[in-house]
Amino acid sequence: MTFIFFTQYTFAQRNVSIKDSISIEADSFWGVDSFDAIFYSKDNVFYKKWNNQEWQYGDYILGQLSSVSILNPLKIMLFYESSNTIVLVDKYLTEIERINFNVITEFKNVTKASPANDNSIWIFDNNNQRLELFDTNSRKTLLSAQPINELPVALQSNFNVCWILINNQFLQYNVYGSLLYKFQNSGYSDLCIVNNDLILKKENNLFYYDTQSESLEKIKLPEITVKQFYVTNEILYIYHQTKIYSFDLTLQK
């Protein structure tokens, strides 16, 4: 097992090329998939907008929608922390499955959740302060990582790894629950995975972190407020007021 620790970065600026902007009225912007469908929520209703069509999902009994993952656009994950519930919906936002952690045999107090693969999800269980891989079919815990003595600020995953952001560190785990490496968090509040790298948010600024070179680049953006951001196919999407701006991360100008 290899741990990488560093506190100083090679610091540069990354210029990005603006592609487009789309007008939308939303309380939260959740992302854009590889088919250019836009996902957002308004008045606690979850929406998908694509090709002049719109679908929606909402169940007010679940409470406030806490997070969304469109990692698999055919099985979208909605997490409602207040009701301790995950809802999986298909591409038409029709409910496929509902997991209420209050009523399963292994009761869990989930504070963060993100998909791992078709049949499992990463969850952070506040009962034991562990990152766990949970099987949605058997409703059983597949594995647990070592305890983390604080609640995560953010949790993001792809099909290979899971990143946890806590107050003073970034932690990366593989699908076996092993801690691969960690590095210092110096004031970042959110993250998004792009290939094997990360986009990090600090105040109103975004940074590109290259995991191979361990370098950090500030992304040069126009004067916009970064309310929410997302990355798909190396396109950075930023929600600002009533517009979603898209920037190409590969063509630096």
Side-chain angles (χ1 to χ4, degrees), residues 14-18 219-221 247-249 251-253:
R14 173 175 286 245
N15 297 318
V16 292
S17 172
I18 189 165
I219 299 174
K220 186 178 181 181
L221 297 170
F247 300 88
D248 195 326
L249 292 173
L251 299 175
Q252 300 187 47
K253 294 183 179 181

Side-chain angles (χ1 to χ4, degrees), residues 74-93:
L74 303 180
K75 188 183 285 188
I76 300 163
M77 194 198 78
L78 313 179
F79 174 51
Y80 298 84
E81 184 179 357
S82 61
S83 59
N84 206 23
T85 300
I86 285 174
V87 177
L88 303 175
V89 297
D90 66 13
K91 64 179 181 179
Y92 302 113
L93 305 194

Side-chain angles (χ1 to χ4, degrees), residues 17-137:
S17 172
I18 189 165
K19 286 175 60 63
D20 200 3
S21 66
I22 302 168
S23 296
I24 194 168
E25 290 190 13
D27 297 326
S28 295
F29 163 65
W30 299 110
V32 178
D33 69 14
S34 56
F35 303 101
D36 294 328
I38 300 169
F39 297 85
Y40 64 97
S41 57
K42 177 74 173 176
D43 297 326
N44 207 33
V45 176
F46 179 61
Y47 292 91
K48 174 183 178 179
K49 190 173 185 178
W50 176 75
N51 198 24
N52 296 320
Q53 299 180 79
E54 189 174 80
W55 297 266
Q56 66 182 61
Y57 176 87
D59 187 343
Y60 292 106
I61 198 171
L62 294 170
Q64 190 68 32
L65 179 60
S66 303
S67 66
V68 172
S69 174
I70 57 172
L71 180 64
N72 179 355
L74 303 180
K75 188 183 285 188
I76 300 163
M77 194 198 78
L78 313 179
F79 174 51
Y80 298 84
E81 184 179 357
S82 61
S83 59
N84 206 23
T85 300
I86 285 174
V87 177
L88 303 175
V89 297
D90 66 13
K91 64 179 181 179
Y92 302 113
L93 305 194
T94 301
E95 185 171 329
I96 303 170
E97 189 173 9
R98 183 177 297 205
I99 305 166
N100 185 341
F101 292 99
N102 298 303
V103 298
I104 64 173
T105 303
E106 298 179 2
F107 167 74
K108 298 182 183 301
N109 182 14
V110 179
T111 58
K112 299 290 180 184
S114 189
N117 58 42
D118 285 342
N119 298 314
S120 61
I121 52 178
W122 291 106
I123 61 171
F124 188 85
D125 185 359
N126 194 35
N127 289 337
N128 53 27
Q129 294 186 297
R130 291 177 186 265
L131 175 69
E132 298 182 345
L133 192 62
F134 183 82
D135 188 282
T136 58
N137 289 336

Side-chain angles (χ1 to χ4, degrees), residues 148 150-154 164-171 185 188:
I148 301 171
E150 56 182 290
L151 290 176
V153 176
I164 292 183
L165 168 61
I166 56 177
N167 285 329
N168 61 355
Q169 287 181 324
F170 289 86
L171 310 171
N185 174 22
Y188 297 97

Side-chain angles (χ1 to χ4, degrees), residues 212-229:
Q212 285 293 109
S213 63
E214 301 172 19
S215 61
L216 194 67
E217 297 175 298
K218 183 178 180 180
I219 299 174
K220 186 178 181 181
L221 297 170
E223 293 295 323
I224 59 176
T225 301
V226 183
K227 185 177 180 181
Q228 280 111 17
F229 67 101

